[in-house]
Amino acid sequence: MKVIKLSIPGLLLIKPDLFKDERGFFLETYNISHYQDILGEKIKFVQDNMSYSRFGTIRGLHFQKDPFAQAKLIRCTVGKIKDVAVDIRINSPTFGKHIYVELNGDEQYQLFVPRGFAHGFSVLSQFAIVEYKCDAYYNKAADAGIRFDDPELNIDWNIPDESVIISDKDKNYPFLSELKRGNNNDTSI
């Protein structure tokens, strides 16, 4: 397994050992002892989620408000996505910055997104199945997000405007600047 630290501290791209032959491939997708070593902390994932989406779908940018924030371990099991993480930690020198990586079913790479980030992805293939682990349970009252088309973030989702499929909820999230103005704590939005 190879671990790459990305340009925003805390974000990791994990390249698992993938064993391929004429039958297909095998990989170990998660082993708590290995991941605690990689992450340098006691992460305990308590919930697994999965989505199926077709080309042009954008999901995000989602997060859970404190104290229900979630760290996530994301992978695309089938298809191809552009996976995006935005730093929403108020005192971070990279606040408002984002990274993106391509995740796909051929490589089975994983993206670790710690607490304090908004997350989203766009589907670049005909369809995609995305699975992710969370270290805290979903809390409906803490559900929040940032507009996918926030001009301050200027994220290129690699989807033509006429092909974008997005939920009404995701279309109507506030912009990052609105969230920052309304924030009353000093850790994350």
Side-chain angles (χ1 to χ4, degrees):
M1 178 180 318
K2 183 176 180 182
V3 179
I4 298 169
K5 293 181 180 181
L6 300 176
S7 60
I8 299 176
L11 294 170
L12 301 174
L13 182 64
I14 301 166
K15 297 181 175 184
D17 296 326
L18 192 62
F19 303 98
K20 293 183 178 184
D21 63 24
E22 65 278 357
R23 298 169 295 169
F25 68 78
F26 171 85
L27 76 149
E28 183 178 86
T29 61
Y30 180 71
N31 178 314
I32 193 167
S33 64
H34 295 153
Y35 280 80
Q36 286 178 347
D37 288 345
I38 290 167
L39 303 175
E41 55 185 283
K42 296 286 184 193
I43 293 284
K44 181 181 178 187
F45 293 112
V46 296
Q47 180 175 322
D48 282 9
N49 299 320
M50 182 176 86
S51 69
Y52 171 94
S53 308
R54 61 186 196 176
F55 172 77
T57 297
I58 298 174
R59 293 186 184 264
L61 297 158
H62 304 146
F63 64 95
Q64 292 268 282
K65 294 177 190 173
D66 283 335
F68 302 101
Q70 297 173 315
K72 297 177 180 176
L73 182 64
I74 302 131
R75 71 187 179 109
C76 179
T77 59
V78 176
K80 179 168 66 171
I81 65 170
K82 181 174 187 173
D83 207 40
V84 178
V86 179
D87 189 347
I88 58 171
R89 300 169 296 180
I90 295 291
N91 294 323
S92 170
T94 55
F95 174 82
K97 304 289 185 212
H98 70 276
I99 62 92
Y100 63 87
V101 296
E102 181 182 294
L103 300 178
N104 63 66
D106 293 333
E107 296 171 321
Q108 296 289 316
Y109 293 173
Q110 299 171 324
L111 178 64
F112 175 73
V113 178
R115 294 176 180 204
F117 285 78
H119 172 258
F121 64 87
S122 60
V123 178
L124 306 177
S125 53
Q126 183 178 358
F127 64 91
I129 297 174
V130 175
E131 297 181 2
Y132 59 98
K133 296 182 170 306
C134 301
D135 77 334
Y137 296 108
Y138 172 78
N139 182 298
K140 187 173 184 171
D143 191 36
I146 301 167
R147 283 274 297 269
F148 76 101
D149 58 351
D150 188 326
E152 182 180 348
L153 299 177
N154 194 30
I155 297 170
D156 179 359
W157 294 98
N158 294 102
I159 302 293
D161 290 343
E162 66 276 5
S163 297
V164 169
I165 302 168
I166 191 155
S167 71
D168 287 339
K169 179 177 149 184
D170 288 358
K171 281 184 206 173
N172 293 308
Y173 278 132
F175 294 112
L176 181 62
S177 59
E178 295 172 87
L179 288 170
K180 187 174 179 185
R181 278 195 305 272
N183 182 47
N184 294 324
N185 68 36
D186 62 355
T187 55
S188 64
I189 290 180

